[in-house]
Amino acid sequence: MTAAFADFVATQDARNDIQLKVREHTLTLCDRLEENFKNSHPNSDPYKFYIAEGGRKYHKIVMETESQSRSVHAFVDKKTGEVYKPASFKSPAKHVRYNLLVIISREECYARADWSGGYLYI
């Protein structure tokens, strides 16, 4: 039993690094979404995209308008980096759309990311 705990402690730093990378990539996705909105609608008030705090399992990317109207844009699994389309304000849809920890998938996600969420449809 103590060997299993020792293994858990030894891999804790790696898990923390992965979770930090996922958060960093999620923030980059938020920046790409804001940039896409500004390019698509140069004369309107910009939408804000940010990570809502408080989720246990997922980073919730929220889209907020100038009038403080909010909607969920996407969910990102904190441990795996998997990106999901929202099924509701509180939960993601079933199927993984992208994985932010896989370079090819992440670059495709960034390249296709649009503020309206069309890139999240299968």
Side-chain angles (χ1 to χ4, degrees):
M1 190 61 118
T2 58
F5 182 71
D7 292 341
F8 175 79
V9 171
T11 59
Q12 184 64 38
D13 285 340
R15 284 192 302 280
N16 289 340
D17 287 344
I18 289 171
Q19 289 182 359
L20 285 173
K21 284 289 184 192
V22 168
R23 183 166 176 83
E24 179 182 312
H25 295 315
T26 305
L27 289 170
T28 301
L29 178 58
C30 290
D31 292 341
R32 297 282 175 107
L33 293 167
E34 284 185 7
E35 182 180 310
N36 177 266
F37 184 84
K38 287 176 187 174
N39 291 338
S40 301
H41 299 61
N43 297 326
S44 42
D45 292 330
Y47 284 9
K48 289 187 267 185
F49 291 87
Y50 59 90
I51 299 172
E53 297 301 321
R56 249 183 326 134
K57 185 172 180 180
Y58 298 104
H59 291 302
K60 185 189 301 186
I61 298 176
V62 174
M63 177 176 71
E64 186 174 316
T65 65
E66 191 69 25
S67 63
Q68 274 77 46
S69 171
R70 298 180 315 141
S71 62
V72 176
H73 180 81
F75 287 92
V76 180
D77 190 303
K78 291 180 177 183
K79 292 181 181 177
T80 65
E82 295 171 334
V83 179
Y84 296 88
K85 179 181 176 295
S88 70
F89 197 82
K90 292 184 177 183
S91 65
K94 285 185 181 182
H95 303 289
V96 175
R97 284 6 188 223
Y98 299 97
N99 189 325
L100 297 179
L101 293 178
V102 177
I103 295 170
I104 294 170
S105 180
R106 179 175 64 237
E107 293 303 321
E108 182 181 352
C109 178
Y110 290 164
R112 296 185 66 209
D114 68 324
W115 69 272
S116 60
Y119 70 108
L120 295 171
Y121 285 88
I122 294 177

